[in-house]
Amino acid sequence: MNYLRLNINSREIKVKPGTTVLQAAQASGTYIPTLCADPDLKPHGGCRLCIVEVKGMRNMPTACTTIVSEDMVVNTETEAVHKERRSVIDLIIADHPMDCLTCIKNQRCELQDVAAYLGITERNLPRTIKQKPIDDSNPFFTFNHNYCILCQRCTRTCDEITGVNAIEIINRGYNSKVSTFGDKPLMESICKSCGECVARCPVAALVAKNSIMPTSKIETTCPYCGVGCMMELGIRNGKIVSVEGSRSSQANNGRLCVKGRYGIADFVQHPERLVQPLLRKSNTLIETSWEEALNIVAQKLSAYSGDQIAVIASAKCTNEDNYIVQKFARSVLGTNNIDHCARL
Amino acid sequence: MAKIKTSKLSAGQRTVFLCHGTGCVSNEAFAIRKAFEKSIERLQLTDIKVDFTGCHGFCEQGPIVFVQPEGIFYAHVSLDDVEEIVYSHFRDNKPLERLMYKDPSSSEIVPYFKDINFYKKQRHIVLRNCGRINPERIEDYIATDGYQALQKVLFSMTPHQVIDEVKISGLRGRGGAGFPTATKWQFCHDAPSDKKYLICNADEGDPGAFMDRSMMEGDPHSVIEGMAIAAYATGATEGYIYIRAEYPLAVNRTKFAIKEAEERGFLGKNILGSDFSLKIHIKEGAGAFVCGEETALIASIEGRRGMPSSRPPFPTQSGLWGKPTNINNVKTLATVPLIILHGGKSYSQTGTEKNRGTSIFALTGKINCMGLVEVPMGTKLADIIFDIGGGIPNGKKLKAVQTGGPSGGCLPANMINLPVEYEAFANAGSIMGSGGMVVMDEDTCMVDVARFFISFTQSESCGKCVPCRLGTKQMLNILENICQGRGNITDIDLLQNLAQSIKVSSLCGLGQTAPNPVLTTLSYFRDEYEEHINDRRCRAAVCTGLVTYSIIAEKCPGCGLCIRECPVQAVTSSGKKKPVILDQSKCTKCGACFNICRLGAIAVK
Amino acid sequence: MNSAFTREINSILSDFSQERGNLIPILQHVQEKFGYLPEEAIQAIADFLHVSSSTVYSVSTFYTQFKLTPLGEEVVKICRGTACHVRGGPTLQRDIERRLSIKPGETTKDMKYSLETVACVGACALAPVMIVNNRVYGKMTPKKVAELFNGKN
C-alpha cells in the first residue's frame, strides 16, 4: 500500500491516497471544527468551518473536500483561519435560538462545541432569526426548524444512506428549508421514520421525543429481525431511555430502522410483557419456574418425532438462536418441518 | 475532403434589413417587416428585397431599419412610418431624413451607419456578423467564411496544433474570470476518459448584460463553429448549450442553427466526412443566477438543484456525469473560428500584452447611447462612455461606472481613465465579469446601488454555504436600515467586516464576489454612507425613507400638472391660481410630481 | 386524478427518456402545458424518472421559473436588472403593485393578474422594462403603465 506524507500543524502524518485533509487530521487526533461533515456521508463543504491553510493554495480550502497530496503542508490553527471560522459561527448564532440552558441538546450540541472551541463569548451580529414552524407529526421525533442550521446532514442521510429521499432542501438561499414533497408534515410523506437523520442532526432541530440523558450504556443485539443490528441502550434508573446504533458493528455500521430505534423501550418495559413462563393448570395460567417449564416441554416433545412435529421459530430471536432452533429440530427432533415467522 | 459550397452575400441588391433582436422585436419589428413586404409588393418595387438580421447592438434606437448597399440607418421606426420610408426612399429615391439617426450630443442627423459615432469608434471582431447577416440562414454565415475554420481544423490540424494556435492568440475566458482558454482546453484534452463533454455557457444572468443574448440571436453559427473546434481540440463528442429560458428568441435561433448545421454536415456524425463527430443539445436554464457558476451549471444539466460544489476537482477533470468537461462562454467560443482562420498571431495584435483581443460590453444606465459595444482590450473607460456612449444625458455628471454585474464593483468617475483589462479592474476592486457596464450619474445613490446588488445576490444565493446564505442576508438588512434612515455609524465597520469574510469563506464565485459592490462603494463613496447615517440624507434623492418632497409656494401657480400625475392623489388643489397642497401622509415619494413640474416648484430634500 | 390529465402528462413524458438529466426539461414542458406544476404532475414525473417526489419538488422550488400554484391570466413581470433599476424600475414596480394591490409572487383574487420580478431580460437599452405574457414593453413611464392597464380593464 502506498502512503502519502503530509504535515499538519508541523506534525508529519502518513495517510492512504484519497484521504481528505479532515480525515487525516481526525486520524491524527487534530480537531478541526465542522458542522456539516459526517463520517458516513460524502463531503459537502457547506458550513465552511473546516477551512484550513494549505501551503501553495490561494484561498482557504475546506478540509472536508480537499484530498491530501504528497508533502502537503496544512495549518489548521492560524489566526486568519480562526477569524474566518468565527465570522461563520457569528452568522449561525445570529440565526439560531439562544436558549442553550433550556435546550434538549444542551451539552450534546455540536454547535455549542464549535462555538466553545472558537472562544465565542458574545453575539456579534444583529439577529436574523424568524419564528419558524415545528413539525410534530411524527410519533418518534420532532422537527423544530428554528434550530435547523441547514447543514444538510439529514437530507444527505435520507439520500445517501437510506435511499428514501423523503426529505430534501426546498426553496433556496435564506428561504431554504428541510422539507418533504409539497412541504407537508413528515407523517404525510414517504418518511419511514428510521431516525437516521435524527441520529446525525448536530443541533436540536431533529430530536427524538421523550429523550433524556442516560447514565450508563449497554450494548446488545436488536431483537426485531435476523439482521442482528447492534445497538447501545442508554439506561437510567434501570430503564431504557435511549437507543443508538453501534458504530462498531459490521452488521449495521451504526444504523437502525424504525423498529430498533424507536420500538425497543416500549415493549421491553411493557407491564404486560411475559418475563416468567406460565403453566396452564385447570384452565388458569400460573407463573412457574424455568426449570419446571422446560421439563414439561421436554417431556411432551419426546412423545413425538419425525413428521409428527413441526417447529416455528421467531424473527425476534437472533440469527444464532434461530440456528440452534433448526439444529435442535433436525438432529434432536428429527424433523425437517421448520418455518420462521420473519414477517414482522 | 469535402468542399464547403460558398455563396456571396447578395451584394449589390438593394435590401431593407429589419433588426430582429429582442429589443426591436419587442417594438413590433416582426410586424414592421411584414408591412415593408406588403408595401413594396404593392408598389411593385421588385428589385428591393426585405430581410432581417440579428441584434445590431444599438437596441435603444430600435426598431432599427438598415438599407443596403447605401448603408442608411433608420432609428425608432414604427409601423406608421413604413409607407413613408417606402415611398420616399425606394420609390422616389429620397432617403427619409425624419427617421435618420440623430447624434445625441450634436443633434446632427447622421444618415449613414458608418458615420454613427456609436459604431465608428468600436472594433467589431466577435460581433463581426451581428446585424449584418440573417441568423436564420446558414448560407449567410458560410458566405462570410463561416465553417472554413472548422474545415481547416478537421483536415489539416491536430488537436495539439489547435490548442497551440489558441495559446498564441492569448485568448482568455470571456465569462468573467479571464482564465486562459488554451490552458483550460489542454487540461480537458489531457484528462484520460472514454467520454468528454463541452458546454457553452450562455446563462447570462447578470442584470444589465445582454452580450450573449445578442450573439446567440445575431450570429449563432459562429458559436456553433467555435464549439465544434473546441470539441475537436479537447476530445469532446457531446456538447450542451446552456442558455437562459428568459431569452426565447435566442433559444429558437440557436435550435434552428443547430438543425441547419446538422443538415449541412457541420455537426453530427463524421463531420464533413472526417472521423470527428459532435452532437449538440440545448438546455434551457430555469431561472437561477448561480447556474452561471460552472459546477452549479453542471448540476442543473444533470437535473439537480443548481448548487455549486467545491473545486477541485475542476470540471476539466470531473465535470458533467463525472466526465472531463470543458466549459466556455459564448463570446470565447465565437472568437475561436477567427483565431483559427487568421492565426493566433493576428488575433493577438489587438489589445494589450496580457489582454489580447477585444472585449464586449453591454453599455447601459444613464448614458446617451445604450447598447452593445466591442472595443480592443486596453481601451479606456472614458472612451467607451464619452466617445461611443455619447456621454451622460441631460447635462448630468458622471458619478460611477458599474462593471461585472452583481459580482463587480462601482468605479468612481475619477477612475475613468482605467483601461479595460482584467487586472486593472481587479486592482480597482471590480471585475470585468461577462461584460455588463452600467453608467451612473449624480441622480444615482451609491448606497442604494449597493443595496440593490446585495438584494439581488441575496435572493440568488443557493443557500448551500453559510457565509453566502446568512452573510448576504445580514448585509442586506444593514443596507436596508441605512437606506431607510435607521442606520448606525457602527454599521459601516460591520458591513466592511462582513463583506471581507464572506469574500474569503464562501464556497463559490457568487458568494466570493457578492461583497464587491459593497466594498467598492464603501471605499469610493464612504461619504454617502456617512451622510445617510449621520445626516439622514440621500443626496441623490433615491432612498425614499430619507426623501421629502414639498411645494415651493411662491413658485407654484397651481397649474395642476402634478395633481394629474400623482398616482396616489397626494397632491390636491387649494383653489385657482393658488399653490397646490402636498399631503405628506399620502406621499409615496415616487417623484412623479418632481419630474413633471417645469417650474421648479417642487423641492426635494 | 382524471384521465384527461393523466393522458396529457403521459404524452409529455413519452417525448423523453427516463434519465435524470431530463428532469428540468420535463418540468418546463409540464409548466408550459398547465401554466404551473400540479402536485399530481410532480408525482407522475417522479415515478417516471425513478426519483422521489420530494426530490422533484426540491428541484422545482429551486428554480424561479417553476410555479407551484396557478398564475393569473396576465402574468406581469418587472425586470429588476441594473439598467432598469437606475432608470426607474423601482418606481415602476411600486406603481404596478399599487395598481394591482399585490406584491411580486402573488396573484389577484380574481385570478386576472400575477405579478413577478425577473432577473434581467437582456433588453437593458429599453429600461425600465416590463413583460406582460411574454411581450416586452420598454421605456416604461407611469403614463404608459396607465395606458397599458386602463386599456385592458
Side-chain angles (χ1 to χ4, degrees):
Chain A
M1 171 65 82
N2 274 337
Y3 281 92
L4 297 173
R5 272 182 319 173
L6 80 153
N7 180 306
I8 299 183
N9 301 344
S10 311
R11 271 180 62 200
E12 285 278 323
I13 299 167
K14 274 202 268 181
V15 295
K16 289 179 193 164
T19 308
T20 65
V21 171
L22 181 65
Q23 286 165 338
Q26 285 170 341
S28 70
T30 304
Y31 174 74
I32 296 179
T34 172
L35 285 171
C36 69
D38 185 287
D40 302 329
L41 301 171
K42 289 182 205 150
H44 182 62
C47 76
R48 315 305 291 169
L49 283 164
C50 70
I51 49 172
V52 292
E53 278 184 20
V54 176
K55 208 173 155 189
M57 278 175 94
R58 217 161 24 106
N59 307 319
M60 294 179 195
T62 40
C64 68
T65 58
T66 307
I67 306 289
V68 171
S69 58
E70 180 72 3
D71 292 331
M72 202 178 232
V73 179
V74 179
N75 207 327
T76 71
E77 290 280 338
T78 67
E79 186 41 41
V81 157
H82 279 321
K83 182 173 164 279
E84 298 313 329
R85 289 175 180 165
R86 277 196 295 267
S87 357
V88 170
I89 278 291
D90 279 346
L91 287 166
I92 299 179
I93 290 175
D95 202 55
H96 192 85
M98 292 189 73
D99 55 358
C100 289
L101 266 183
T102 53
C103 174
I104 185 127
K105 273 287 186 82
N106 191 19
Q107 298 196 11
R108 291 175 290 173
C109 170
E110 294 180 34
L111 178 55
Q112 276 182 343
D113 296 344
V114 174
Y117 170 76
L118 294 173
I120 305 289
T121 51
E122 58 186 341
R123 181 168 60 76
N124 292 310
L125 293 170
R127 304 290 277 159
T128 47
I129 188 166
K130 277 192 273 187
Q131 196 63 36
K132 288 174 205 154
I134 298 171
D135 180 355
D136 211 14
S137 66
N138 189 292
F140 309 116
F141 53 86
T142 305
F143 201 149
N144 187 337
H145 292 276
N146 292 296
Y147 291 96
C148 179
I149 55 167
L150 291 166
C151 65
Q152 292 197 46
R153 269 151 85 164
C154 54
T155 55
R156 289 185 289 142
T157 299
C158 204
D159 176 35
E160 294 171 31
I161 291 182
T162 66
V164 173
N165 292 98
I167 47 170
E168 289 271 16
I169 298 285
I170 64 161
N171 306 327
R172 75 173 181 222
Y174 186 71
N175 297 322
S176 299
K177 179 189 174 192
V178 174
S179 194
T180 62
F181 174 34
D183 196 15
K184 293 188 182 124
L186 277 169
M187 274 315 269
E188 291 172 37
S189 76
I190 53 172
C191 168
K192 308 272 186 272
S193 304
C194 69
E196 285 296 318
C197 54
V198 180
R200 284 178 183 77
C201 181
V203 291
L206 277 160
V207 282
K209 286 183 175 168
N210 313 317
S211 142
I212 52 171
M213 273 169 89
T215 48
S216 62
K217 286 189 174 174
I218 295 175
E219 191 166 52
T220 183
T221 309
C222 176
Y224 269 105
C225 76
V227 171
C229 297
M230 297 291 287
M231 49 179 27
E232 274 180 11
L233 301 181
I235 309 294
R236 174 147 151 187
N237 197 20
K239 292 226 151 94
I240 302 168
V241 292
S242 68
V243 180
E244 277 173 59
S246 302
R247 295 202 63 89
S248 57
S249 156
Q250 290 191 353
N252 58 314
N253 267 325
R255 283 163 224 162
L256 291 173
C257 74
V258 57
K259 289 174 281 180
R261 195 182 301 277
Y262 300 115
I264 299 291
D266 271 3
F267 96 80
V268 171
Q269 280 145 207
H270 200 280
E272 286 177 23
R273 182 180 168 211
L274 291 182
V275 287
Q276 283 290 311
L278 299 177
L279 188 60
R280 194 179 301 276
K281 280 186 181 158
S282 53
N283 258 350
T284 336
L285 288 167
I286 293 162
E287 236 178 50
T288 180
S289 70
W290 280 106
E291 197 178 0
E292 189 186 357
L294 285 172
N295 278 338
I296 292 170
V297 172
Q299 195 187 341
K300 293 205 168 176
L301 278 180
S302 53
Y304 308 97
S305 69
D307 284 348
Q308 290 174 311
I309 194 164
V311 175
I312 295 186
S314 167
K316 284 205 177 190
C317 298
T318 62
N319 250 354
E320 291 78 2
D321 289 341
N322 276 316
Y323 175 80
I324 297 292
V325 169
Q326 65 84 29
K327 197 80 185 163
F328 175 74
R330 288 187 224 273
S331 44
V332 179
L333 301 176
T335 180
N336 285 326
N337 297 332
I338 303 163
D339 202 1
H340 183 280
C341 76
R343 283 168 282 273
L344 265 173
Chain B
M1 171 167 144
K3 187 100 181 88
I4 302 172
K5 256 199 235 157
T6 54
S7 56
K8 282 269 160 323
L9 275 176
S10 46
Q13 183 172 16
R14 241 171 152 196
T15 311
V16 193
F17 284 102
L18 270 291
C19 174
H20 276 5
T22 290
C24 291
V25 165
S26 75
N27 279 317
E28 301 189 287
F30 286 146
I32 296 172
R33 190 176 104 216
K34 288 252 155 58
F36 266 108
E37 282 166 357
K38 252 192 204 150
S39 178
I40 283 170
E41 198 186 302
R42 201 172 50 246
L43 292 184
Q44 297 185 325
L45 300 166
T46 43
D47 58 331
I48 292 167
K49 219 176 104 188
V50 180
D51 205 347
F52 68 91
T53 64
C55 186
H56 273 80
F58 206 0
C59 314
E60 189 212 359
Q61 295 293 323
I64 291 170
V65 173
F66 185 42
V67 185
Q68 283 285 48
E70 52 263 59
I72 285 187
F73 184 93
Y74 290 118
H76 299 299
V77 177
S78 76
L79 259 178
D80 301 336
D81 299 326
V82 173
E83 290 279 282
E84 201 182 339
I85 295 181
V86 173
Y87 275 83
S88 169
H89 190 143
F90 298 118
R91 194 191 60 184
D92 306 340
N93 269 320
K94 276 190 226 140
L96 186 62
E97 221 170 73
R98 181 176 71 82
L99 289 168
M100 284 175 189
Y101 174 74
K102 268 186 216 71
D103 190 274
S105 8
S106 65
S107 297
E108 268 172 41
I109 289 172
V110 189
Y112 298 104
F113 171 81
K114 61 174 174 43
D115 297 329
I116 296 174
N117 269 334
F118 178 76
Y119 290 113
K120 205 162 68 180
K121 308 209 167 154
Q122 295 191 42
R123 176 99 64 88
H124 281 191
I125 292 180
V126 180
L127 293 173
R128 61 199 179 277
N129 292 327
C130 284
R132 290 175 185 83
I133 63 168
N134 184 326
E136 295 183 17
R137 205 163 45 219
I138 195 169
E139 291 82 1
D140 280 21
Y141 180 67
I142 293 172
T144 56
D145 291 338
Y147 290 109
Q148 298 282 346
L150 176 62
Q151 174 161 284
K152 180 174 172 187
V153 159
L154 291 181
F155 298 102
S156 64
M157 291 172 89
T158 63
H160 274 297
Q161 287 172 319
V162 176
I163 294 173
D164 282 345
E165 203 60 52
V166 174
K167 197 175 199 172
I168 292 168
S169 78
L171 180 66
R172 293 169 68 174
R174 292 294 189 253
F179 191 80
T181 305
T183 312
K184 206 175 195 178
W185 287 12
Q186 189 74 55
F187 285 151
C188 190
H189 174 272
D190 294 347
S193 178
D194 54 336
K195 175 101 192 168
K196 291 178 192 176
Y197 293 98
L198 166 73
I199 298 173
C200 166
N201 186 350
D203 187 44
E204 183 178 53
D206 284 20
F210 52 90
M211 301 75 57
D212 297 351
R213 171 186 68 76
S214 292
M215 275 306 305
M216 302 310 284
E217 282 175 10
D219 191 17
H221 285 290
S222 69
V223 181
I224 292 170
E225 186 179 6
M227 282 182 79
I229 295 168
Y232 176 76
T234 54
T237 50
E238 214 171 328
Y240 287 87
I241 300 178
Y242 189 91
I243 185 166
R244 295 180 77 203
E246 287 90 337
Y247 290 173
L249 192 63
V251 171
N252 288 338
R253 294 239 168 98
T254 311
K255 275 185 186 160
F256 187 77
I258 290 176
K259 199 173 134 255
E260 276 189 305
E262 279 172 352
E263 283 165 7
R264 295 295 191 101
F266 298 129
L267 284 181
K269 277 214 171 96
N270 300 99
I271 294 175
L272 296 172
S274 71
D275 49 13
F276 172 68
S277 303
L278 176 69
K279 170 90 190 145
I280 294 183
H281 312 270
I282 289 194
K283 285 274 176 180
E284 287 178 52
F289 173 67
V290 66
C291 289
E293 199 278 342
E294 293 191 343
T295 56
L297 189 154
I298 288 172
S300 180
I301 293 182
E302 290 175 351
R304 295 183 283 121
R305 290 163 64 87
M307 312 260 258
S309 39
S310 299
R311 301 182 304 178
F314 288 94
T316 45
Q317 305 157 311
S318 169
L320 190 60
W321 318 113
K323 304 287 183 189
T325 305
N326 170 45
I327 305 180
N328 291 133
N329 174 269
V330 170
K331 288 157 293 202
T332 314
L333 290 166
T335 313
V336 168
L338 286 178
I339 292 173
I340 298 300
L341 211 54
H342 306 303
K345 204 161 179 202
S346 144
Y347 179 82
S348 72
Q349 303 298 312
T350 312
T352 59
E353 199 192 329
K354 276 186 167 172
N355 294 260
R356 306 287 188 189
T358 57
S359 184
I360 305 179
F361 291 97
L363 184 62
T364 60
K366 301 288 184 68
I367 185 129
N368 273 315
C369 304
M370 285 188 277
L372 222 54
V373 171
E374 181 173 6
V375 288
M377 287 282 200
T379 305
K380 284 180 182 149
L381 278 176
D383 296 345
I384 299 178
I385 294 166
F386 292 103
D387 294 351
I388 296 171
I392 318 297
N394 307 324
K396 300 267 181 179
K397 272 202 212 103
L398 173 74
K399 189 189 237 179
V401 186
Q402 207 280 342
T403 64
S407 309
C410 295
L411 306 172
N414 63 20
M415 292 181 92
I416 193 142
N417 284 322
L418 213 64
V420 167
E421 280 173 359
Y422 290 102
E423 290 75 15
F425 276 36
N427 290 340
S430 186
I431 61 163
M432 287 269 283
S434 67
M437 186 180 283
V438 185
V439 179
M440 295 163 179
D441 68 1
E442 51 200 302
D443 289 343
T444 314
C445 167
M446 299 315 289
V447 185
D448 175 69
V449 166
R451 186 201 57 78
F452 164 76
F453 279 115
I454 290 299
S455 114
F456 179 82
T457 33
Q458 193 269 328
S459 69
E460 293 294 340
S461 165
C462 82
K464 179 172 176 177
C465 79
V466 174
C468 180
R469 181 180 74 239
L470 297 174
T472 53
K473 181 74 181 166
Q474 283 280 358
M475 288 202 291
L476 179 62
N477 286 353
I478 295 168
L479 286 163
E480 277 179 344
N481 279 340
I482 297 177
C483 287
Q484 283 162 10
R486 296 195 305 260
N488 188 306
I489 198 67
T490 54
D491 286 349
I492 295 184
D493 282 345
L494 200 55
L495 263 181
Q496 183 97 35
N497 293 340
L498 270 167
Q500 262 147 6
S501 62
I502 294 166
K503 216 173 148 77
V504 176
S505 56
S506 290
L507 192 160
C508 83
L510 189 149
Q512 287 160 10
T513 56
N516 285 349
V518 173
L519 286 169
T520 48
T521 48
L522 273 174
S523 69
Y524 300 128
F525 300 96
R526 186 179 273 260
D527 52 335
E528 286 196 34
Y529 281 86
E530 287 165 357
E531 229 168 62
H532 278 68
I533 295 168
N534 293 335
D535 312 335
R536 299 283 186 252
R537 173 169 175 258
C538 171
R539 66 170 86 164
V542 169
C543 297
T544 51
L546 298 173
V547 172
T548 332
Y549 289 92
S550 57
I551 311 293
I552 305 168
E554 50 274 26
K555 284 192 186 171
C556 177
C559 74
L561 254 185
C562 53
I563 298 180
R564 281 192 293 279
E565 197 68 14
C566 177
V568 290
Q569 286 86 45
V571 192
T572 48
S573 168
S574 68
K576 261 195 179 165
K577 297 202 173 168
K578 281 187 181 166
V580 297
I581 296 164
L582 174 58
D583 182 349
Q584 295 293 348
S585 67
K586 282 188 185 166
C587 177
T588 58
K589 295 157 184 178
C590 72
C593 55
F594 179 81
N595 291 335
I596 198 85
C597 182
R598 297 185 198 115
L599 304 164
I602 292 169
V604 53
K605 256 202 318 231
Chain C
M1 212 193 308
N2 68 49
S3 60
F5 179 83
T6 315
R7 250 200 322 276
E8 275 170 10
I9 291 282
N10 287 340
S11 106
I12 293 170
L13 294 178
S14 65
D15 291 341
F16 291 92
S17 60
Q18 288 171 292
E19 285 162 45
R20 173 73 189 261
N22 284 330
L23 175 53
I24 291 169
I26 292 175
L27 290 170
Q28 284 166 333
H29 277 76
V30 170
Q31 175 152 302
E32 178 79 33
K33 178 85 202 169
F34 299 100
Y36 75 111
L37 299 173
E39 271 196 10
E40 296 86 345
I42 290 183
Q43 185 65 60
I45 297 167
D47 294 344
F48 179 75
L49 294 177
H50 304 295
V51 293
S52 97
S53 47
S54 303
T55 303
V56 178
Y57 185 77
S58 161
V59 172
S60 335
T61 56
F62 183 85
Y63 297 97
T64 40
Q65 186 188 14
F66 299 124
K67 308 293 165 204
L68 295 154
T69 47
L71 295 181
E73 284 161 47
E74 312 257 347
V75 182
V76 181
K77 296 179 188 168
I78 299 164
C79 181
R80 57 175 173 131
T82 322
C84 291
H85 182 80
V86 300
R87 290 184 83 110
T91 314
L92 173 68
Q93 183 174 335
R94 280 197 294 271
D95 188 5
I96 291 172
E97 283 175 7
R98 208 166 37 232
R99 238 164 229 291
L100 303 177
S101 309
I102 48 173
K103 294 267 170 207
E106 296 176 352
T107 299
T108 53
K109 282 207 182 84
D110 59 4
M111 296 301 287
K112 231 175 148 184
Y113 293 103
S114 289
L115 182 60
E116 287 175 15
T117 56
V118 287
C120 189
V121 293
C124 314
L126 307 174
V129 167
M130 63 185 275
I131 300 130
V132 183
N133 287 354
N134 294 327
R135 203 189 140 179
V136 179
Y137 294 86
K139 299 186 186 170
M140 295 308 290
T141 57
K143 217 172 156 191
K144 280 170 96 171
V145 173
E147 281 165 17
L148 194 65
F149 282 92
N150 295 339
K152 281 174 191 289
N153 284 337

